[in-house]
């Protein structure tokens, strides 16, 4: 890497902190978990190491999930993880790096991430300049969509516990929405459905594994231990069991899917009639960890009445979008440094 060029892209997506540079595009992925000494802000372990301690740590160690709905839920833990990632990515250079960070739509997300980058990257001298980019725009760039043209592009990201929908034209955001949803919420909704309708309380992990493998509306479900639903006594007086089908799992997921699609529909309604007509002829490009669930894209498409095209990626494309946008920093929103007293 050049002694004069060490710009860094950072994205908070898919329950991870992602780091990348222009010269080394292979991203550093750190799961958003920090093990901290109880009652203090001292970090003891980060990422996968901290996550592996969940449920196993002694009382004097607290494992913190840093990202809640795509945003920092624990400010001190987020700062600790940010410092850890920057240190791992550190390359000696003459000048401090410029940093680009995507932010979700709305003031709450912007404020939380701005607060974090201001305190560490700007105020403490960790970065020369910090630039913000809309998460939807960064994701679209990472998908290689030609967003600089006047055509409308729709981008949907469904991750572990949040979703985000953005309509883009001429590299700008026309409308956007986000909310708490994702794989964990899918599992909880399905589990609650079975508790109410079948008086059956399945374990969460087998359901999550089933969603990620067999999928939604993906044919007959294979046997999963503990997923038999006891339906009553047979003619011989014994209890009869029946395996749950993907169709019934889909029924349990409907509250989650309806919440997503209603927010998306409301966002589309905020556009002009001409823009809505243009978008109706387009496709929604979908990514995120939850989109790995087979059948989810088609189920969302059926709910929305629009084509939904999955964008498979092992790492959320927003980090690639941020890295590619490093050459266009002058067009983005720069975080102003704190005023000197």
């Amino acid at each position: 890497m050049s002694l004069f060029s060490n710009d860094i892209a950072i994205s908070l997506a898919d329950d991870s902190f992602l780091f990348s540079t222009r010269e080394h595009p292979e991203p550093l992925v750190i799961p958003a978990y920090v093990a901290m000494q109880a009652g203090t802000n001292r970090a003891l372990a980060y990422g996968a190491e901290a996550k592996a301690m969940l449920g196993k740590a002694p009382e004097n160690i607290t494992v913190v999930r840093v990202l809640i709905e795509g945003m920092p839920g624990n400010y001190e833990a987020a700062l600790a993880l940010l410092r850890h990632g920057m240190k791992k990515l550190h390359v000696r250079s003459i000048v401090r790096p410029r940093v680009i960070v995507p932010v979700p739509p709305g003031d709450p997300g912007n404020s939380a991430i701005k607060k974090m980058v201001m305190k560490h990257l700007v105020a403490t001298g960790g970065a020369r300049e910090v630039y913000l980019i809309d998460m939807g725009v960064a994701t679209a760039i990472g998908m290689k969509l030609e967003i600089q043209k006047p055509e409308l592009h729709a981008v949907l990201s469904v991750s572990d516990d949040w979703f985000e929908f953005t309509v883009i034209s001429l590299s700008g955001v026309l409308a956007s929405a986000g909310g708490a949803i994702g794989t964990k919420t899918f599992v909880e909704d399905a589990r609650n459905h079975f508790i109410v309708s079948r008086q059956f309380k399945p374990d969460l992990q087998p359901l999550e594994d089933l969603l990620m493998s067999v999928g939604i509306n993906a044919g007959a479900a294979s046997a999963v231990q503990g997923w038999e639903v006891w339906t009553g006594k047979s003619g011989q007086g014994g209890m009869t069991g029946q395996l749950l089908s993907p169709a019934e799992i889909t029924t349990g997921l409907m509250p989650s899917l309806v919440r997503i699609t209603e927010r998306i529909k409301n966002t589309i309604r905020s556009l002009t009639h001409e823009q809505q007509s243009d978008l109706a002829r387009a496709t929604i490009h979908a990514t995120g960890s939850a989109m790995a669930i087979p059948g989810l894209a088609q189920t969302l498409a059926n709910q929305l009445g629009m084509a939904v095209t999955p964008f498979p990626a092992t790492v959320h494309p927003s980090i690639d979008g941020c890295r590619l946008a490093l050459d266009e920093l002058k067009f983005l929103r720069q975080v102003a440094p704190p005023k000197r007293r």
Side-chain angles (χ1 to χ4, degrees):
M1 181 179 285
S2 168
L3 289 176
F4 297 94
S5 176
N6 60 346
D7 296 339
I8 299 173
I10 303 173
S11 180
L12 283 57
D14 276 351
D15 205 23
S16 298
F17 275 43
L18 314 174
F19 300 83
S20 184
T21 64
R22 191 160 33 194
E23 288 78 5
H24 293 82
E26 186 67 26
L28 169 65
V29 181
I30 305 179
Y33 294 83
V34 177
M36 309 187 77
Q37 185 172 343
T40 73
N41 292 326
R42 182 188 174 197
L44 304 175
Y46 305 88
E49 182 183 356
K51 188 176 181 179
M53 297 168 66
L54 281 170
K56 305 173 185 176
E59 292 183 358
N60 63 328
I61 297 177
T62 302
V63 180
V64 178
R65 182 180 180 184
V66 179
L67 293 180
I68 304 296
E69 300 168 21
M71 290 178 278
N74 183 300
Y75 182 59
E76 294 301 331
L79 273 177
L81 191 55
L82 181 65
R83 296 188 192 104
H84 173 71
M86 293 284 287
K87 184 177 180 180
K88 291 195 69 171
L89 207 65
H90 176 69
V91 177
R92 291 183 181 178
S93 61
I94 294 175
V95 296
R96 287 177 289 128
R98 296 182 301 176
V99 176
I100 180 171
V101 183
V103 293
D107 290 336
N110 289 356
S111 298
I113 294 178
K114 278 183 181 178
K115 181 180 178 183
M116 183 178 68
V117 300
M118 281 289 291
K119 181 169 182 179
H120 178 62
L121 297 180
V122 179
T124 64
R128 184 168 90 255
E129 297 171 351
V130 176
Y131 292 83
L132 302 180
I133 182 173
D134 291 287
M135 176 65 84
V137 173
T139 302
I141 294 173
M143 290 177 168
K144 307 296 191 299
L145 301 180
E146 297 182 359
I147 62 171
Q148 72 278 6
K149 295 183 177 181
E151 289 82 5
L152 270 61
H153 294 280
V155 173
L156 172 65
S157 180
V158 188
S159 297
D160 187 62
D161 67 346
W162 64 282
F163 88 97
E164 182 177 304
F165 175 74
T166 308
V167 181
I168 304 165
S169 176
L170 294 172
S171 299
V173 175
L174 297 180
S176 62
I181 203 71
T183 310
K184 301 294 185 190
T185 311
F186 291 157
V187 171
E188 287 286 354
D189 282 345
R191 185 172 183 252
N192 291 340
H193 165 74
F194 297 133
I195 291 173
V196 173
S197 66
R198 304 288 289 272
Q199 289 78 54
F200 169 59
K201 188 176 182 179
D203 293 333
L204 296 182
Q205 193 58 51
L207 174 53
E208 189 170 350
D209 293 342
L210 185 64
L211 285 177
M212 298 302 291
S213 57
V214 178
I216 302 171
N217 291 327
S222 57
V224 178
Q225 185 177 4
W227 272 78
E228 296 82 4
V229 180
W230 300 107
T231 57
K233 290 187 176 182
S234 67
Q236 288 75 33
M239 300 295 291
T240 58
Q242 177 185 348
L243 286 174
L244 296 172
S245 69
E248 188 167 7
I249 293 173
T250 302
T251 300
L253 298 181
M254 287 312 294
S256 298
L257 299 174
V258 168
R259 282 194 291 270
I260 291 178
T261 54
E262 284 305 310
R263 292 290 297 274
I264 293 175
K265 289 175 182 177
N266 288 335
T267 303
I268 293 173
R269 292 188 194 106
S270 70
L271 300 170
T272 66
H273 291 300
E274 182 179 358
Q275 290 170 340
Q276 291 183 45
S277 298
D278 290 343
L279 190 60
R281 295 190 292 270
T283 182
I284 297 175
H285 301 272
T287 191
S289 55
M291 293 306 301
I293 299 174
L296 180 59
Q298 187 56 52
T299 305
L300 288 172
N302 294 341
Q303 288 286 307
L304 292 168
M306 294 178 62
V308 177
T309 302
F311 183 88
T314 55
V315 178
H316 198 279
S318 62
I319 189 63
D320 285 336
C322 288
R323 179 178 53 81
L324 293 171
L326 284 170
D327 291 325
E328 306 293 335
L329 291 179
K330 60 187 177 185
F331 299 109
L332 301 173
R333 291 173 285 161
Q334 183 176 356
V335 177
K339 294 182 180 180
R340 296 182 181 275
R341 295 184 177 180

